[in-house]
Amino acid sequence: MELKKDKLVRFYSDGKRHKETPWGKNDPSFLEKSSSGYKISFSSVLKPEIGMDGGRNRLPEMGKIGRSKVLPQDNALWYKRILDPGSEIVLQWNWVFIISCLVALFIDPLYFYLPAVGGDAKTSCVKTDTNLRIVVTCFRTVADIFYLLHIIIKFRTGYVAPNSSTRVFGRGELVMDPKKIARRYLRSDFFIDFIATLPLPQIVIWFIIPATRSPRTDHKNNALALIVLIQYIPRLYLIFPLSSQIIKATGVVTKTAWAGAAYNLLLYMLASHVVGAAWYVLSVDRYTSCWKKICKKEFPPHRCNLSYLDCDTFGRSDRNTWAKVTDVFKQCDPNNDIDFQYGIFESAVKKNVVKKGFLEKYFYCLWWGLQQL
């Protein structure tokens, strides 16, 4: 049998058709003969001149796998632009925001150090550290601004449609409609972000506690601790989806092993920081509970008034007269033989941690928290 010679057909953009044999010299790079037949050179297929309308419509870039196609917005104003969730600016913002979240998580437990025990060697009283309250409020307000900016950016960040039918090599349809973005965000993570942004401790410290305090009430340390811890949960939760987004975009949270070790150590220190701060505020509350218990048992002529336990009345004459004859502080001294039990807070009272300056009591409580962990 005599084999027939194969004919090759090549199509050009001008619409003409040319017949060539595999032994022709017109286009040796387009077809290459092998043992299994003829194969097409892929590099020539991707040439710019091959395509429709005279080479104007080119094939999409195939090097960038996994990113959505973003429509140009050069004519839109900066505050009206929709951001690509896989863009560099969104990735950089996620890094900035996760750092601000960690800083905010360290700031919030500092509110537990506001109550302190003052007085002199003979008598004591409970007070609020005003300087620390101002400093912590300023830092906390700056952190709240970052949470607010995060909400605004999420309202202007597009998303890949989950039911997109145009996925090719990991691509998908990027939704750029602001109304659809806002509707999706309001139904998903907006509530958690909004709760984390509220300045609840500032409101409690500067407005609620001063308005509800009376000469017969204390500093409401338990209410403050409860408010801070309730808001602490959504703030801590936000770190995990942020870490997932960074890992999805770059593959790792940190680029070096040392940075990863420092990040994990920081989370461990954060846990001991929270435990130590909570232990301190409960120690102050336990100490003042003993005062109030003994104070209620006193009778005239040396009757105790609960307002005497507040440092605001420390210079009053009636308070000074009562302080000379009262046994409240002697019966609450853990170094003496007393009936009141301090439990795990005994070391804080015995070593006068509740009366120390901020740095001393902070590092002692941090060390105590590390011991417990």
Side-chain angles (χ1 to χ4, degrees):
M1 295 177 63
E2 185 179 358
L3 297 174
K4 296 183 181 181
K5 296 182 178 180
D6 295 337
K7 294 184 178 181
L8 303 177
V9 180
R10 181 179 180 184
F11 292 89
Y12 292 85
S13 58
D14 55 359
K16 297 181 181 180
R17 184 177 69 179
H18 300 271
K19 295 181 179 180
E20 296 179 348
T21 63
W23 301 275
K25 300 180 179 180
N26 293 333
D27 194 1
S29 64
F30 183 72
L31 295 177
E32 298 175 2
K33 185 174 181 181
S34 64
S35 59
S36 60
Y38 299 97
K39 64 179 183 179
I40 299 177
S41 178
F42 194 70
S43 61
S44 63
V45 175
L46 296 179
K47 287 183 178 180
E49 66 269 11
I50 306 299
M52 300 176 61
D53 298 334
R56 294 180 181 178
N57 296 332
R58 300 181 181 181
L59 293 176
E61 296 182 5
M62 303 184 68
K64 299 179 180 179
I65 306 275
R67 289 196 175 186
S68 304
K69 186 177 180 181
V70 183
L71 299 177
Q73 304 181 74
D74 296 336
N75 297 329
L77 298 176
W78 65 270
Y79 56 87
K80 291 185 177 181
R81 293 185 179 182
I82 302 299
L83 301 175
D84 180 7
S87 62
E88 188 67 22
I89 186 173
V90 174
L91 179 61
Q92 291 179 357
W93 168 252
N94 288 337
W95 271 108
V96 172
F97 185 63
I98 196 172
I99 293 174
S100 66
C101 286
L102 290 174
V103 173
L105 291 176
F106 272 95
I107 291 175
D108 283 359
L110 295 179
Y111 279 102
F112 293 165
Y113 293 98
L114 295 184
V117 176
D120 50 27
K122 296 182 178 180
T123 62
S124 302
C125 59
V126 63
K127 63 179 181 178
T128 300
D129 192 339
T130 306
N131 295 330
L132 181 62
R133 176 171 61 173
I134 295 174
V135 173
V136 174
T137 300
C138 292
F139 281 107
R140 165 70 192 229
T141 304
V142 173
D144 291 344
I145 293 175
F146 278 91
Y147 282 92
L148 181 61
L149 290 175
H150 184 64
I151 292 178
I152 296 174
I153 290 177
K154 292 187 75 172
F155 270 114
R156 308 302 301 177
T157 303
Y159 67 94
V160 178
N163 298 325
S164 176
S165 59
T166 60
R167 291 182 178 272
V168 179
F169 296 104
R171 295 172 179 264
E173 180 184 356
L174 186 64
V175 179
M176 310 286 285
D177 188 1
K179 294 183 179 180
K180 293 183 179 179
I181 294 172
R183 191 181 302 114
R184 179 177 181 268
Y185 179 45
L186 290 173
R187 292 177 179 177
S188 57
D189 301 331
F190 174 76
F191 180 74
I192 296 178
D193 294 341
F194 180 73
I195 294 297
T197 308
L198 293 176
L200 295 181
Q202 295 97 307
I203 296 174
V204 172
I205 287 294
W206 292 98
F207 300 101
I208 296 180
I209 289 182
T212 56
R213 278 185 62 189
S214 66
R216 301 186 61 83
T217 58
D218 56 7
H219 287 237
K220 300 190 180 300
N221 301 330
N222 294 333
L224 173 63
L226 183 62
I227 291 295
V228 172
L229 289 177
I230 287 177
Q231 197 177 26
Y232 204 80
I233 296 174
R235 290 200 166 200
L236 182 62
Y237 168 78
L238 289 179
I239 292 182
F240 299 103
L242 278 174
S243 301
S244 301
Q245 292 178 13
I246 294 176
I247 292 175
K248 189 180 296 184
T250 61
V252 291
V253 177
T254 56
K255 296 182 180 179
T256 61
W258 285 106
Y263 178 74
N264 293 327
L265 179 61
L266 190 65
L267 294 178
Y268 185 76
M269 296 296 292
L270 176 62
S272 62
H273 170 63
V274 175
V275 172
W279 176 72
Y280 171 79
V281 72
L282 294 177
S283 299
V284 175
D285 187 71
R286 186 63 176 168
Y287 197 20
T288 56
S289 297
C290 180
W291 294 351
K292 289 183 286 186
K293 180 180 179 180
I294 304 300
C295 182
K296 293 177 182 178
K297 294 181 179 180
E298 289 190 341
F299 296 96
H302 310 301
R303 184 174 180 83
C304 175
N305 190 336
L306 289 178
S307 63
Y308 295 160
L309 304 178
D310 198 311
C311 288
D312 293 340
T313 63
F314 196 75
R316 284 168 36 180
S317 58
D318 55 342
R319 202 270 181 190
N320 293 336
T321 303
W322 166 82
K324 293 177 182 180
V325 296
T326 185
D327 291 333
V328 170
F329 306 107
K330 291 181 181 179
Q331 296 187 34
C332 290
D333 189 352
N335 296 313
N336 300 330
D337 187 12
I338 59 175
D339 297 331
F340 193 83
Q341 300 296 325
Y342 285 101
I344 63 172
F345 312 112
E346 184 175 354
S347 61
V349 181
K350 270 188 175 183
K351 297 180 180 180
N352 290 326
V353 177
V354 293
K355 296 182 179 181
K356 299 293 184 180
F358 170 71
L359 291 179
E360 293 182 73
K361 62 186 178 184
Y362 172 76
F363 285 112
Y364 185 87
C365 295
L366 181 64
W367 172 77
W368 188 89
L370 287 171
Q371 281 187 316
Q372 307 313 307
L373 295 180

